Amino acid sequence: MIVGLIIACEVAFWVLLAAGLAFRYVFRMPRLGLALLLCEPLLEAVLFVVTAIDLKNGAEPDWRHGLAAVYIGFTVGLGHSTVRWADARVAHRFAGGPPPVRPPKYGRARAVHEWKVAGRWTLAALVAMALLQAAVLYVGGDGETDSLRAWQLRMLWVIGINLVIAGSYTLFPKSGPKDRPKGGPEGGSNGGPEREPAKMR
């Protein structure tokens, strides 16, 4: 039941997101669209309540309860940025909004971007770990909590991987295209600086 509810919540998340943005920008009903988007947190609340009731009724904690906590945590940490990502693109496509801002590619700006991404993933993992710990305490010392502890260890790996990725962009920043002087057989005739042509991607 828990796994089925997680799948239903994920499907409902995208359905509400699509409907909310459609009413907001396509049908020009921004209040109804916003109301639909604000219903998103109710999905996680329902999943949390159902999981708690299942444990209260004597269900043995297993990977499904841990997955529910992880799903809620990741929705809290990443859901808002996902909505903003989709909102910017739909606004540009249907409401004449500005083009979505692409992430920077080089230097310090890219490093800052990666740290922001790592921060969102870290928040998601920490929320999941807190919910898992609450489940451990709720079950008590007599219950089987190994599966919940295993999920907490996985969340530590998620945090570590994201910190390593962000740190790599800080310690080894990616350099952008560099200028080269004009003149000579490959340069211009006035000897001034000439920007290197963009590389094919």
Side-chain angles (χ1 to χ4, degrees):
M1 180 182 68
I2 299 296
V3 175
L5 184 57
I6 293 173
I7 295 173
C9 286
E10 180 66 10
V11 172
F13 174 88
W14 291 104
V15 170
L16 284 175
L17 178 58
L21 295 177
F23 277 103
R24 188 173 184 180
Y25 295 113
V26 180
F27 302 118
R28 300 294 191 269
M29 302 173 67
R31 291 185 178 180
L32 179 56
L34 179 60
L36 290 172
L37 293 176
L38 291 177
C39 289
E40 300 276 16
L42 295 178
L43 301 174
E44 286 68 56
V46 170
L47 180 58
F48 177 81
V49 170
V50 171
T51 304
I53 292 175
D54 193 45
L55 291 173
K56 184 178 181 180
N57 289 338
E60 192 71 22
D62 58 19
W63 64 272
R64 291 167 293 188
H65 299 95
L67 181 62
V70 170
Y71 177 83
I72 294 172
F74 275 56
T75 304
V76 171
L78 305 175
H80 181 64
S81 61
T82 302
V83 171
R84 287 192 305 169
W85 178 88
D87 182 84
R89 281 150 182 81
V90 175
H92 173 62
R93 176 65 177 82
F94 295 101
V101 178
R102 295 186 177 183
K105 295 182 179 181
Y106 309 112
R108 181 180 178 184
R110 180 56 186 265
V112 171
H113 169 75
E114 292 296 333
W115 279 110
K116 289 180 179 179
V117 172
R120 290 192 288 268
W121 281 85
T122 299
L123 173 62
L126 289 176
V127 172
M129 291 178 66
L131 292 174
L132 290 164
Q133 185 60 34
V136 170
L137 297 175
Y138 185 75
V139 172
D142 297 333
E144 178 59 48
T145 59
D146 289 346
S147 61
L148 302 178
R149 297 293 188 186
W151 276 110
Q152 287 183 316
L153 182 60
R154 295 186 185 105
M155 294 303 98
L156 288 176
W157 275 100
V158 169
I159 294 173
I161 291 171
N162 277 275
L163 293 181
V164 168
I165 293 174
S168 68
Y169 279 92
T170 302
L171 297 176
F172 309 103
K174 185 178 181 181
S175 300
K178 297 181 180 179
D179 293 341
R180 65 181 181 186
K182 286 186 178 181
E186 297 182 0
S189 59
N190 59 3
E194 181 182 15
R195 184 167 296 279
E196 182 180 6
K199 298 179 181 179
M200 296 296 293
R201 293 181 177 85

